């Protein structure tokens, strides 16, 4: 069983001993620290469809009320819906109860500021410090907070997407798309049908019941998506769409059942946005070079950020990026808000496809071709990750063909390929991502570095 405390929140498996798992006592402690840090009076709470969601929600809401906060419970909601709800409700912060792409036994608390954005690294570290100190001060009986149930924010989220200037509703409606969508038995099954109806898109939903009993591994990677890929191969659909349990990651499948490529979700949406809006882009260090190529084609400048949504959005603000995100299918469009949003990504992608009048596979063929291999090394309590990364950096420091970047783990850039090693923020693993012109070359590079790590242990 696992409990991970980081600057981005608290995440763990449900059930087991305190201090080792995500359990009511740790939830109370962490929620209290956040509430004491954030200040103010009003906090939004939303949750994905996980089996443990109601239990965690009850503990979180009760704790916030015990701290004197008025809680707006928006119920089943995507991560971007909750982010927007904080701003729309004029709240002082928000808590999203979701473990994103993690399996069903996991849950987590994601913490938002008054802008509906994730806490900065410094703020997250302070919440962690306060949680460990346990110097808490709860409200007296006459100052306890209230609870309001408000289920209006799904529609308000959809309305905000429809209002975006680059969402071409008329072109989408005229194209008469038929899409197949896998919503992995979570909140996507609630909100996406409403989005499609509003856009005039015909749809079929797979795994649409919001039970939290995921039909397959919920990370939207090709190895987990055989069901919808087989469905697409049968014909009758223009596009396949896959989201993760909290609907901030987005993957597409071509009309012939082949993956569009998770990395190319952001690339394709950015290409559409940049064709209408001159500007810069940002993605994280583990994302494809194709975004750089597309950005430069449109006359913009590409910048890489450390992995993590808050790092990407911080860099986007610094460089004035008009579009950005992460190669895991996360699209961040500031015209809407500074958060990964699959609804925004879907609407912009359909707009691009409708305007171009092409098939999904034809659109994919227009982008630079790269392949990313995504490997992992499971960690043991004895693994000294920092020492390993230092040794890897030293190995390549004198290689004239390599550029070494250590702002987030170690990334080694060669002229025609790259490999990035970093400790995950969400799982007890080292992620090893590598990119080259072919999957064989990318995988070979990644496994070479993995062997180096194994030899060090």
């Amino acid at each position: 069983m696992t409990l991970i405390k980081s600057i981005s929140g608290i995440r763990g498996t449900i059930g087991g001993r305190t201090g080792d798992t995500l359990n009511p006592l740790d939830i109370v402690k962490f929620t209290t620290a956040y509430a004491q840090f954030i200040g103010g009076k009003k906090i939004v709470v939303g949750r994905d469809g996980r089996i443990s969601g109601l239990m965690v929600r009850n503990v979180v809401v009760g704790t916030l009320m015990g701290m004197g906060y008025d809680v707006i419970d928006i119920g089943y909601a995507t991560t971007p819906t909750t982010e927007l709800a904080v701003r729309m409700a004029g709240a002082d912060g928000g808590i999203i109860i979701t473990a994103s792409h993690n399996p069903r036994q996991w849950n987590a608390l994601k913490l938002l500021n008054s802008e509906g954005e994730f806490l900065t690294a410094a703020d997250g570290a302070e919440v962690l410090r306060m949680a460990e100190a346990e110097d808490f001060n709860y409200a007296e009986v006459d100052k306890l907070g209230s609870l309001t149930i408000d289920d209006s924010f799904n529609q308000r989220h959809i309305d905000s997407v429809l209002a975006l200037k680059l969402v071409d509703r008329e072109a989408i409606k005229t194209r008469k798309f038929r899409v197949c969508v896998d919503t992995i038995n979570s909140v996507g099954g609630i909100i996406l049908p409403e989005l499609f109806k509003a856009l005039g898109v015909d749809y079929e939903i797979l795994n649409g019941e919001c039970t939290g009993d995921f039909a397959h591994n919920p990370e939207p990677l090709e190895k987990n998506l055989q069901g919808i890929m087989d469905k697409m191969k049968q014909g009758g659909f223009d596009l396949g769409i896959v989201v993760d349990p909290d609907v901030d990651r987005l993957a597409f499948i071509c009309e012939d059942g082949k993956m569009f490529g998770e990395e190319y979700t952001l690339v394709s949406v950015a290409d559409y946005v940049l064709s209408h809006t001159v500007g810069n882009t940002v993605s994280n260090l583990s994302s494809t070079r194709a975004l750089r190529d597309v950005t430069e084609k449109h006359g913009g400048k590409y910048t890489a950020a450390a992995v993590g949504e808050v790092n990407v959005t911080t860099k986007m603000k610094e460089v004035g990026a008009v579009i950005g995100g992460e190669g895991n299918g996360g699209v961040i469009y500031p015209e809407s808000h500074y958060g990964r949003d699959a609804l925004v990504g879907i609407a912009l992608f359909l707009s691009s496809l409708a305007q171009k009048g092409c098939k999904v596979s034809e659109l994919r063929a227009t982008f630079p071709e790269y392949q990313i291999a995504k490997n992992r090394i499971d960690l043991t309590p004895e693994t000294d990750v920092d020492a390993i990364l230092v040794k890897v950096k030293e190995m390549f420091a004198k290689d004239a063909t390599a550029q070494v970047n250590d702002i987030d783990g170690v990334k080694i850039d060669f002229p025609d390929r790259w490999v990035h090693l970093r400790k995950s923020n969400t799982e007890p693993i080292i992620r090893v991502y590598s990119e080259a012109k072919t999957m064989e070359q990318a995988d070979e590079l990644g496994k070479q570095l993995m062997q180096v790590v194994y030899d060090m242990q």
Side-chain angles (χ1 to χ4, degrees):
M1 309 304 279
T2 307
L3 180 65
I4 300 174
K5 301 176 183 178
S6 74
I7 57 174
S8 58
I10 185 170
R11 179 182 301 241
T13 51
I14 299 295
R17 299 183 61 84
T18 57
D20 293 332
T21 63
L22 189 66
N23 59 80
L25 289 180
D26 282 309
I27 295 168
V28 167
K29 183 168 72 171
F30 201 77
T31 302
T32 302
Y34 166 74
Q36 199 154 289
F37 168 81
I38 209 72
K41 183 63 178 175
K42 186 190 302 182
I43 290 180
V44 170
V45 176
R47 64 184 174 104
D48 71 11
R50 288 174 183 273
I51 295 169
S52 60
L54 180 59
M55 179 276 288
V56 177
R57 174 266 185 200
N58 288 344
V59 175
V60 167
V61 169
T63 301
L64 291 173
M65 293 173 66
M67 289 293 291
Y69 278 89
D70 295 330
V71 179
I72 301 176
D73 178 9
I74 66 173
Y76 286 127
T78 73
T79 282
T81 304
T82 310
E83 292 169 346
L84 285 166
V86 171
R87 282 175 24 195
M88 291 174 174
D92 302 293
I95 296 179
I96 311 167
I97 301 168
T98 174
S100 193
H101 64 274
N102 288 84
R104 66 199 290 276
Q105 69 269 29
W106 288 74
N107 215 327
L109 307 183
K110 293 183 178 181
L111 310 178
L112 305 174
N113 61 21
S114 60
E115 295 298 316
E117 299 170 16
F118 289 120
L119 300 186
T120 65
D123 288 347
E126 178 60 14
V127 172
L128 282 175
R129 186 199 67 76
M130 294 172 69
E132 294 305 316
E134 293 191 53
D135 183 16
F136 301 141
N137 183 25
Y138 291 95
E140 297 176 0
V141 67
D142 293 324
K143 296 182 179 180
L144 294 174
S146 64
L147 172 63
T148 301
I149 307 295
D150 188 340
D151 62 1
S152 69
F153 288 97
N154 280 346
Q155 186 58 52
R156 293 169 72 176
H157 183 183
I158 292 170
D159 290 343
S160 74
V161 172
L162 299 177
L164 294 172
K165 292 179 181 178
L166 292 187
V167 173
D168 193 339
R169 296 175 64 183
E170 198 58 43
I172 294 172
K173 184 177 180 181
T174 300
R175 184 72 187 270
K176 297 181 178 179
F177 288 114
R178 177 164 170 74
V179 301
C180 184
V181 188
D182 186 345
T183 59
I184 194 59
N185 304 111
S186 192
V187 290
I190 296 173
I191 195 169
L192 290 185
E194 299 305 313
L195 175 67
F196 295 135
K197 290 174 187 175
L199 289 171
V201 173
D202 189 19
Y203 63 90
E204 181 174 333
I205 302 290
L206 305 181
N207 306 313
E209 295 183 17
C210 188
T211 63
D213 195 7
F214 305 141
H216 54 78
N217 185 309
E219 189 163 16
L221 302 177
E222 180 173 357
K223 63 183 179 180
N224 302 325
L225 303 177
Q226 200 58 52
I228 186 171
M229 291 173 70
D230 288 344
K231 184 79 171 178
M232 290 295 297
K233 288 175 184 176
Q234 295 173 15
F237 296 99
D238 299 295
L239 171 67
I241 299 173
V242 182
V243 294
D244 65 339
D246 66 326
V247 199
D248 62 354
R249 288 175 62 175
L250 173 64
F252 297 122
I253 300 171
C254 299
E255 76 286 346
D256 58 3
K258 295 179 180 178
M259 291 295 296
F260 188 81
E262 184 187 29
E263 290 287 331
Y264 284 81
T265 298
L266 174 58
V267 174
S268 60
V269 173
D271 181 63
Y272 173 65
V273 170
L274 292 170
S275 69
H276 293 272
T277 312
V278 177
N280 303 323
T281 66
V282 173
S283 66
N284 67 41
L285 285 166
S286 282
S287 300
T288 180
R289 283 181 176 175
L291 180 62
R292 177 202 64 184
D293 296 350
V294 165
T295 303
E296 292 175 352
K297 179 189 75 172
H298 288 288
K301 181 181 179 181
Y302 166 78
T303 305
V307 175
E309 185 171 321
V310 68
N311 297 318
V312 174
T313 56
T314 298
K315 185 61 69 174
M316 288 178 68
K317 294 173 184 178
E318 288 178 8
V319 303
V322 297
I323 184 75
E326 299 185 288
N328 61 9
V331 174
I332 301 173
Y333 186 44
E335 193 72 23
S336 174
H337 64 117
Y338 279 102
R340 296 183 303 183
D341 191 330
L343 277 74
V344 169
I346 289 168
L348 292 175
F349 186 85
L350 289 173
S351 297
S352 176
L353 202 61
Q355 289 183 6
K356 290 179 171 67
C358 63
K359 295 180 180 179
V360 178
S361 59
E362 293 170 342
L363 177 62
R364 175 65 178 81
T366 65
F367 300 122
E369 184 60 40
Y370 296 100
Q371 296 290 334
I372 286 188
K374 298 184 178 183
N375 292 296
R376 57 185 277 171
I377 299 171
D378 292 324
L379 300 179
T380 67
E382 295 76 34
T383 304
D384 188 341
V385 177
D386 293 334
I388 288 172
L389 294 176
V390 168
K391 289 181 180 178
V392 170
K393 178 183 175 183
E394 290 173 349
M395 284 180 60
F396 290 91
K398 297 180 180 179
D399 187 336
T401 67
Q403 291 184 326
V404 180
N405 186 321
D406 63 355
I407 66 170
D408 183 12
V410 177
K411 182 176 183 180
I412 306 156
D413 250 310
F414 301 98
D416 61 344
R417 64 193 70 187
W418 58 258
V419 60
H420 187 201
L421 289 79
R422 58 176 292 275
K423 186 177 180 180
S424 171
N425 293 327
T426 59
E427 298 177 75
I429 61 174
I430 294 177
R431 297 193 186 277
V432 183
Y433 286 10
S434 49
E435 182 174 67
K437 286 294 185 180
T438 70
M439 182 57 74
E440 291 74 19
Q441 292 171 340
D443 199 46
E444 179 184 3
L445 178 60
K447 287 179 177 173
Q448 286 176 355
L449 267 291
M450 291 172 71
Q451 190 57 54
V452 169
V453 173
Y454 290 137
D455 290 343
M456 290 178 182
Q457 292 181 319

